[in-house]
Amino acid sequence: MKKSLTSRKEDYSKWYNELVVKADLAENSAVRGCMTIKPYGYAIWEKMQAELDKRFKETGHENAYFPLFVPKSLFELEEKNAEGFAKECAVVTHYRLQNDPDRPGKLRVDPEAKLDEELVVRPTSEAVIWNTFKGWIESYRDLPLKINQWANVVRWEMRTRLFLRTTEFLWQEGHTAHATKKEAVEEAELINALYADFAENFLAIPVIEGLKSESEKFAGAVETYCIEAMMQDGKALQAGTSHFLGENFAKAFDVKFTSDQGKQEYVWATSWGVSTRLMGALVMTHSDDHGLVLPPNLAPIQVVIVPIFKNDEQLELISEKANAIAEALRSKGIRVKYDNRTTHKPGWKFAEYELKGIPLRIAIGPKDLEKGSVELARRDLLSKTFEQQEGLENLIENLLKDIQQELFNKAKAFRDDHITKADSFEEFKDILESKGGFISAHWDGTAETEEKIKELTKATIRCIPFSGDKEAGKCMFTGRDSAQRVLFAKAY
Amino acid sequence: MKKSLTSRKEDYSKWYNELVVKADLAENSAVRGCMTIKPYGYAIWEKMQAELDKRFKETGHENAYFPLFVPKSLFELEEKNAEGFAKECAVVTHYRLQNDPDRPGKLRVDPEAKLDEELVVRPTSEAVIWNTFKGWIESYRDLPLKINQWANVVRWEMRTRLFLRTTEFLWQEGHTAHATKKEAVEEAELINALYADFAENFLAIPVIEGLKSESEKFAGAVETYCIEAMMQDGKALQAGTSHFLGENFAKAFDVKFTSDQGKQEYVWATSWGVSTRLMGALVMTHSDDHGLVLPPNLAPIQVVIVPIFKNDEQLELISEKANAIAEALRSKGIRVKYDNRTTHKPGWKFAEYELKGIPLRIAIGPKDLEKGSVELARRDLLSKTFEQQEGLENLIENLLKDIQQELFNKAKAFRDDHITKADSFEEFKDILESKGGFISAHWDGTAETEEKIKELTKATIRCIPFSGDKEAGKCMFTGRDSAQRVLFAKAY
């Protein structure tokens, strides 16, 4: 049995690490900090990709593909961006291996195959893309240019965790170019709203939309919009960001266009991305001590059917019924698996599908055949009911929608319960210690105060939220004026 | 106007290079040998991906994702594979940049951030995947394991050409593990047949299936199956390969399983892939001196509608009809664009869509409104007819199928016309010089003879074909015994 998962209460971090591996989502690889995404995990990622890709295309974006490598001389052009990523860059310096004269049958880097210019493995693609956009943009007629890329990126992280922080990860990165500031700001906002809607209505993860503080924003951005989620241990997780880049990259890469007035002007830019990190958010939002809990939208298998039988004759009769049920479900577009393996017992299968987070499990035994019934188990509630076979597909179709909605409601109730106001630093520290979650507090707007609070508590400003009360007040740390409350939290 | 493409007769190679750029498929990037795949080119690649992905899943394969980097010590384990790729490996040696003290505002590699072990950027993933499979396979119950990965790979090529040979390219690589040799051989054959069917019935590219000779097979394989296509200039192009790897990787990475007899045995393997190279094959199989010709299956836009008008009033009336036609086509699943831009003249649009290979163009002017007709232009034949608006969607639905089939027929007729028998080396050289194409000739089966022929003529053995006559004969070069004719050609 694969069971015996550490409980969340016992050790949340250990629970997560074990679950990701035991549920076959991902595992560590031979390369420090790089993960292998296993087929079951990748199937869930594919569902996220397909939905996002559809939404990007519906909003007028096109996919393209840009090189993995960034020549150092391009990488360093936008100085803030370069400075922000320089410390975590994997660098290619050579282009050939040769036989190692000292170790027969082994290889070494060929010292004569040194590159004239080092290549940075992209940590993000602004540099290489803006260098390309320079050739694509001449006039206002070429704008807006709205491009997305699905790609792998590399950031040399010192402490890594599966999905949450890995040296290599998969993501999509959008890069757009606009004739006006207004249009670029609107694009950054549109995408942040798209991410929020995707998180809430597809992943069932409630998020708070807002702006990052100066210290937390993307290196090279004028403003960073973000969506922030709350995990079950009271720590926040940044689930997506959308950046208004101003004219920073256009100036660094000299990208101008002829306006409809005939003037030469710099282009306005945005970039935005979500990554395989969302897989971590998905696990930590919904799952429990028994294993994964998957929202039906994300489940590679939505319904599993397990036969309960003592002999081949029984199995044959049950299979006939099970296959009919499976067909009726498939005709409604529901993803079903009928597990008729004789190599594993029902109890083993139940535990396995519980661990894997299959939303609904149908069990059929000889008595069910007599009664025209099935046993239906809900993974999220760990509940069981007996249902009639007749019309089961309609019941399940509705139930899957309910589960999707209820998982969101449950996560939202938890999240809402974990937004607490603090009006003094003492109160702030107490809440952080006792309950965690988002703490809504006044802040004087300076990076200095933000830094001190971080040093003392490890909590950072997750965002300056768009919604919520906007009344002014006094900074809980310095007592200076504050325009509105911001959300602090310890974060992944 | 973007026109004035070099003609194929004038300079085939130049025609190809110009066309790929002018039709917005791809362009060179700032990184030597790496391309940028532009949105139009990427949209075509996505169609290939979607179809292949569907076929892989239908045949029981699952997607997963493995790391970009391969530690050198793993890379060198399977010696033949390592030897085959060592000369073209990009190698990461450092993980950080720092400010360059000699050049303010610029960066350099941080000499203190040198990796203990160099990382090879994957040229192919057998090493990293078999190292992972070791942890996944214990018993015969874990087999077969049938995994596919969509990824980027890097091979440091000296002479590069867009799509055909680039330092970084996109591909899929399948990696499977089996309990028996028979099953692994069957898998390699199944995939080669899948590739052939995909090439012929989806890309409309006729291919010849066969085996590679010892010298041409994949480094580390026991047998390499392949599909070979013929381009319009008489040069062959390897469009896909499927390898039976025997126990080579299982032995190198010590991957054993407990058989149903309770014995420890090595696992049998296959790997297989197709890449963005197929984009080059697509262009060079069907396109002409006017630009791209796309098989309807691959066309991001299958039908474009262009209004012919002198004033806004006319445009409005035409648009009403054009939108109705577009809707009727879309309801049949046909991809349509209505180009009502007033910034470009019809003639400009005609040339643009001709260049981009849109299979069908509808033009509607004021007279068509009166007559209830449209002008319908076929890109592949450069022909025009007048058709009734009534029932146009049915006509077009059938026409798209016809075009798909006729493109294949045309390419197959050309290919069949470019398979020529040669019974002496003189004859062989004459054909190669005058006509090119595949030359079907007897060969004594030795690498030595193969190498000499290559030195003298630049022609290589493309494959030992499965079909065609199997009569024995005498090697056209040495006069020694030959079991069957093989296909030679100059190749991309």
Side-chain angles (χ1 to χ4, degrees):
Chain A
M1 288 289 291
K2 284 192 185 182
K3 258 252 185 156
S4 72
L5 196 58
T6 298
S7 75
R8 287 166 294 174
K9 209 167 182 180
E10 209 177 320
D11 187 337
Y12 191 82
S13 179
K14 201 173 166 202
W15 165 80
Y16 173 80
N17 293 341
E18 282 181 12
L19 178 52
V20 168
V21 173
K22 289 191 181 191
D24 285 334
L25 299 180
E27 64 184 31
N28 286 307
S29 76
V31 191
R32 210 197 122 284
C34 290
M35 66 180 159
T36 298
I37 307 179
K38 299 179 77 175
Y40 192 61
Y42 200 84
I44 298 171
W45 173 241
E46 280 182 330
K47 301 239 168 295
M48 294 190 190
Q49 282 190 301
E51 178 69 17
L52 281 169
D53 199 69
K54 182 169 75 83
R55 291 177 182 225
F56 296 149
K57 283 174 178 159
E58 281 168 1
T59 48
H61 301 87
E62 295 182 296
N63 288 334
Y65 188 77
F66 298 85
L68 171 67
F69 298 133
V70 191
K72 187 163 65 65
S73 59
L74 284 186
F75 182 75
E76 65 196 8
L77 277 183
E78 210 296 321
E79 290 192 26
K80 280 192 182 160
N81 187 251
E83 196 189 313
F85 287 101
K87 292 196 185 87
E88 48 193 45
C89 284
V91 187
V92 173
T93 56
H94 292 74
Y95 58 85
R96 193 162 62 219
L97 295 173
Q98 61 176 194
N99 290 321
D100 187 339
D102 299 331
R103 300 181 310 139
K106 303 294 179 185
L107 298 169
R108 67 167 193 190
V109 169
D110 181 349
E112 292 187 9
K114 193 169 186 301
L115 290 169
D116 291 336
E117 181 181 5
E118 295 92 342
L119 299 173
V120 174
V121 181
R122 63 181 165 214
T124 181
S125 300
E126 279 77 5
V128 81
I129 287 180
W130 277 87
N131 184 60
T132 308
F133 277 5
K134 189 176 163 62
W136 293 3
I137 299 168
E138 284 176 21
S139 115
Y140 70 96
R141 285 187 201 86
D142 301 318
L143 298 173
L145 185 57
K146 293 161 71 175
I147 302 290
N148 178 59
Q149 162 170 280
W150 291 96
N152 53 345
V153 286
V154 171
R155 296 178 186 176
W156 205 267
E157 300 281 359
M158 282 304 150
R159 284 187 219 163
T160 60
R161 290 188 69 190
L162 292 169
F163 290 125
L164 298 172
R165 198 171 291 279
T166 49
T167 299
E168 181 192 15
F169 57 88
L170 302 184
W171 78 345
Q172 62 68 217
E173 47 180 324
H175 297 270
T176 69
H178 305 266
T180 66
K181 176 179 175 178
K182 180 168 176 288
E183 203 184 290
V185 169
E186 282 169 1
E187 167 78 7
E189 288 174 350
L190 174 108
I191 294 295
N192 206 57
L194 184 157
Y195 285 158
D197 191 73
F198 167 75
E200 300 205 328
N201 295 313
F202 197 75
L203 309 182
I205 299 176
V207 292
I208 291 171
E209 295 177 70
L211 276 177
K212 286 287 178 192
S213 65
E214 273 296 305
S215 327
E216 294 281 333
K217 74 184 193 190
F218 179 74
V222 175
E223 288 290 7
T224 289
Y225 298 78
C226 63
I227 56 170
E228 294 285 325
M230 178 49 57
M231 303 298 100
Q232 294 175 47
D233 62 346
K235 285 171 77 176
L237 185 145
Q238 174 181 301
T241 49
S242 177
H243 317 293
F244 167 58
L245 302 172
E247 295 169 305
N248 293 348
F249 283 88
K251 283 181 177 164
F253 289 86
D254 193 30
V255 185
K256 290 178 185 167
F257 72 102
T258 311
S259 75
D260 53 5
Q261 309 294 317
K263 279 193 217 156
Q264 287 289 101
E265 294 178 12
Y266 283 113
V267 174
W268 298 87
T270 82
S271 69
W272 28 276
V274 297
S275 72
T276 36
R277 190 158 218 249
L278 286 175
M279 293 288 295
L282 189 76
V283 171
M284 289 204 296
T285 300
H286 303 300
S287 300
D288 64 22
D289 295 347
H290 297 262
L292 277 188
V293 174
L294 290 176
N297 285 346
L298 277 303
I301 302 164
Q302 296 173 311
V303 180
V304 65
I305 306 175
V306 178
I308 317 289
F309 58 96
K310 289 201 181 111
N311 53 51
D312 284 358
E313 197 186 342
Q314 282 184 355
L315 178 59
E316 201 173 315
L317 289 168
I318 292 167
S319 291
E320 200 178 313
K321 184 48 75 180
N323 284 321
I325 292 172
E327 260 328 294
L329 290 169
R330 280 191 197 108
S331 73
K332 293 205 165 267
I334 296 168
R335 299 183 286 272
V336 194
K337 176 178 176 173
Y338 173 42
D339 184 353
N340 62 350
R341 286 180 294 173
T342 53
T343 44
H344 298 79
K345 298 208 165 146
W348 188 96
K349 293 177 186 175
F350 287 10
E352 174 71 9
Y353 296 119
E354 208 165 271
L355 182 64
K356 294 269 182 85
I358 314 298
L360 290 172
R361 183 187 74 220
I362 293 170
I364 312 182
K367 283 198 178 155
D368 295 306
L369 289 188
E370 285 169 28
K371 293 185 193 168
S373 64
V374 300
E375 185 193 78
L376 184 63
R378 250 179 92 154
R379 173 62 187 88
D380 60 329
L381 304 179
L382 294 167
S383 64
K384 289 180 197 173
T385 53
F386 287 91
E387 305 292 345
Q388 288 302 303
Q389 289 170 12
E390 182 77 32
L392 189 62
E393 65 276 17
N394 297 320
L395 180 93
I396 284 180
E397 187 181 31
N398 290 324
L399 202 47
L400 289 172
K401 284 180 201 152
D402 288 351
I403 293 172
Q404 178 78 28
Q405 186 59 47
E406 285 175 30
L407 285 177
F408 175 75
N409 294 348
K410 189 180 165 195
K412 186 162 183 301
F414 177 88
R415 195 277 312 274
D416 289 346
D417 189 45
H418 284 78
I419 305 178
T420 316
K421 280 191 186 178
D423 288 320
S424 72
F425 190 53
E426 283 312 304
E427 209 181 336
F428 181 88
K429 285 187 291 185
D430 281 353
I431 298 162
L432 205 60
E433 197 65 29
S434 61
K435 184 179 180 183
F438 290 117
I439 305 180
S440 177
H442 281 292
W443 160 62
D444 64 17
T446 68
E448 202 187 345
T449 301
E450 191 180 356
E451 183 60 28
K452 274 187 197 150
I453 294 170
K454 186 178 173 181
E455 273 174 32
L456 293 167
T457 67
K458 291 187 182 160
T460 51
I461 297 176
R462 301 320 303 154
C463 72
I464 304 161
F466 293 147
S467 61
D469 58 35
K470 299 277 178 187
E471 102 283 25
K474 300 288 176 190
C475 174
M476 58 121 177
F477 192 75
T478 62
R480 283 186 230 146
D481 286 347
S482 154
Q484 74 163 90
R485 287 174 189 268
V486 300
L487 293 178
F488 288 86
K490 290 187 191 171
Y492 280 96
Chain B
M1 289 288 292
K2 286 191 183 182
K3 259 253 185 155
S4 72
L5 195 60
T6 297
S7 75
R8 287 166 294 174
K9 208 168 180 177
E10 210 177 319
D11 187 337
Y12 190 82
S13 180
K14 203 173 166 201
W15 164 81
Y16 173 80
N17 294 340
E18 282 181 12
L19 178 52
V20 167
V21 173
K22 290 192 179 191
D24 284 334
L25 299 181
E27 64 184 31
N28 286 309
S29 77
V31 191
R32 208 197 123 282
C34 290
M35 65 180 159
T36 298
I37 307 179
K38 300 180 78 174
Y40 192 61
Y42 200 84
I44 298 171
W45 173 240
E46 280 182 330
K47 302 238 168 295
M48 294 189 190
Q49 281 190 301
E51 178 70 17
L52 281 170
D53 199 69
K54 182 169 74 83
R55 291 177 183 226
F56 295 150
K57 284 174 176 156
E58 282 167 1
T59 46
H61 301 86
E62 296 183 294
N63 287 333
Y65 188 77
F66 299 85
L68 171 68
F69 299 133
V70 191
K72 187 164 64 66
S73 60
L74 283 186
F75 181 77
E76 65 196 8
L77 277 182
E78 210 295 322
E79 290 191 26
K80 279 192 182 160
N81 188 251
E83 195 190 314
F85 287 101
K87 292 196 185 87
E88 49 194 59
C89 283
V91 187
V92 173
T93 56
H94 291 74
Y95 59 85
R96 194 162 62 219
L97 296 173
Q98 62 176 193
N99 290 321
D100 187 339
D102 299 333
R103 301 182 310 140
K106 303 295 180 186
L107 299 169
R108 69 168 190 188
V109 168
D110 180 349
E112 292 187 11
K114 193 169 185 301
L115 290 169
D116 291 337
E117 180 180 5
E118 296 92 342
L119 298 174
V120 174
V121 181
R122 62 181 165 216
T124 181
S125 299
E126 278 78 5
V128 81
I129 287 180
W130 276 88
N131 186 59
T132 308
F133 277 5
K134 188 176 164 63
W136 293 4
I137 298 169
E138 283 176 22
S139 112
Y140 71 96
R141 287 188 199 86
D142 302 318
L143 299 173
L145 184 59
K146 293 161 72 175
I147 302 290
N148 178 58
Q149 161 170 281
W150 290 97
N152 53 344
V153 286
V154 171
R155 297 179 186 175
W156 206 268
E157 300 281 359
M158 283 304 149
R159 284 186 218 166
T160 60
R161 291 188 70 189
L162 292 169
F163 291 124
L164 298 172
R165 198 171 290 277
T166 49
T167 299
E168 182 192 14
F169 57 87
L170 303 184
W171 78 346
Q172 60 69 215
E173 46 180 326
H175 297 270
T176 69
H178 305 266
T180 65
K181 176 179 175 179
K182 180 167 176 287
E183 203 184 289
V185 168
E186 281 169 2
E187 167 78 6
E189 289 174 350
L190 174 109
I191 294 294
N192 206 58
L194 184 157
Y195 285 158
D197 190 73
F198 167 75
E200 300 205 328
N201 295 314
F202 197 74
L203 309 181
I205 300 176
V207 292
I208 291 171
E209 295 178 69
L211 277 177
K212 286 286 179 192
S213 66
E214 273 296 305
S215 327
E216 294 281 332
K217 75 183 190 190
F218 179 73
V222 176
E223 287 289 7
T224 288
Y225 298 78
C226 64
I227 56 170
E228 295 285 324
M230 178 50 56
M231 304 297 100
Q232 294 175 48
D233 62 345
K235 284 172 76 175
L237 186 145
Q238 175 181 300
T241 49
S242 177
H243 317 293
F244 167 58
L245 302 173
E247 295 170 304
N248 293 348
F249 284 89
K251 284 182 177 164
F253 290 86
D254 192 29
V255 186
K256 290 178 185 166
F257 72 102
T258 311
S259 75
D260 53 5
Q261 309 294 318
K263 278 193 216 158
Q264 286 291 100
E265 293 179 12
Y266 283 113
V267 174
W268 298 86
T270 81
S271 69
W272 28 275
V274 297
S275 73
T276 37
R277 189 158 219 249
L278 286 175
M279 293 288 294
L282 190 76
V283 171
M284 290 204 297
T285 300
H286 303 300
S287 300
D288 65 22
D289 294 348
H290 297 261
L292 277 187
V293 173
L294 289 176
N297 285 346
L298 277 303
I301 302 164
Q302 294 173 311
V303 180
V304 65
I305 306 177
V306 178
I308 316 290
F309 59 97
K310 289 201 180 110
N311 53 52
D312 285 357
E313 197 186 343
Q314 282 185 355
L315 178 59
E316 201 173 314
L317 289 168
I318 291 167
S319 291
E320 201 178 313
K321 184 48 76 182
N323 284 320
I325 292 172
E327 261 329 294
L329 289 169
R330 279 191 198 110
S331 73
K332 293 203 165 270
I334 295 167
R335 299 184 287 271
V336 194
K337 176 178 176 172
Y338 173 43
D339 184 353
N340 61 351
R341 286 180 295 174
T342 53
T343 43
H344 297 79
K345 297 206 166 150
W348 187 96
K349 293 178 187 175
F350 287 10
E352 175 70 10
Y353 296 119
E354 207 164 274
L355 182 62
K356 293 271 182 81
I358 315 298
L360 290 172
R361 183 187 74 219
I362 294 171
I364 314 182
K367 283 197 178 158
D368 295 306
L369 288 188
E370 286 169 28
K371 294 185 194 165
S373 65
V374 300
E375 184 193 79
L376 184 64
R378 251 179 91 152
R379 173 63 187 89
D380 60 329
L381 303 180
L382 294 167
S383 64
K384 289 180 198 175
T385 54
F386 286 91
E387 305 292 346
Q388 287 303 302
Q389 289 169 12
E390 182 76 33
L392 189 62
E393 65 277 15
N394 297 321
L395 181 92
I396 285 180
E397 187 181 31
N398 290 324
L399 202 47
L400 288 172
K401 284 180 200 151
D402 289 351
I403 294 172
Q404 179 78 28
Q405 186 60 47
E406 285 175 30
L407 284 177
F408 175 75
N409 294 348
K410 189 180 164 195
K412 186 163 184 300
F414 178 88
R415 195 277 312 274
D416 289 346
D417 189 46
H418 285 76
I419 305 177
T420 316
K421 280 191 186 178
D423 289 319
S424 72
F425 191 53
E426 282 312 304
E427 209 181 336
F428 181 88
K429 285 187 290 185
D430 280 353
I431 297 162
L432 204 60
E433 197 66 30
S434 61
K435 182 178 181 184
F438 290 117
I439 304 180
S440 177
H442 281 291
W443 160 61
D444 63 18
T446 68
E448 201 187 346
T449 301
E450 190 179 356
E451 185 59 30
K452 274 188 196 151
I453 294 170
K454 186 178 173 181
E455 273 174 32
L456 292 168
T457 65
K458 292 187 182 161
T460 52
I461 297 176
R462 302 319 304 155
C463 72
I464 304 161
F466 292 147
S467 60
D469 58 35
K470 300 277 177 186
E471 103 282 26
K474 299 290 176 189
C475 174
M476 59 121 177
F477 192 75
T478 61
R480 283 187 230 146
D481 286 347
S482 154
Q484 74 163 90
R485 286 175 189 270
V486 300
L487 292 178
F488 287 84
K490 289 187 192 172
Y492 280 97

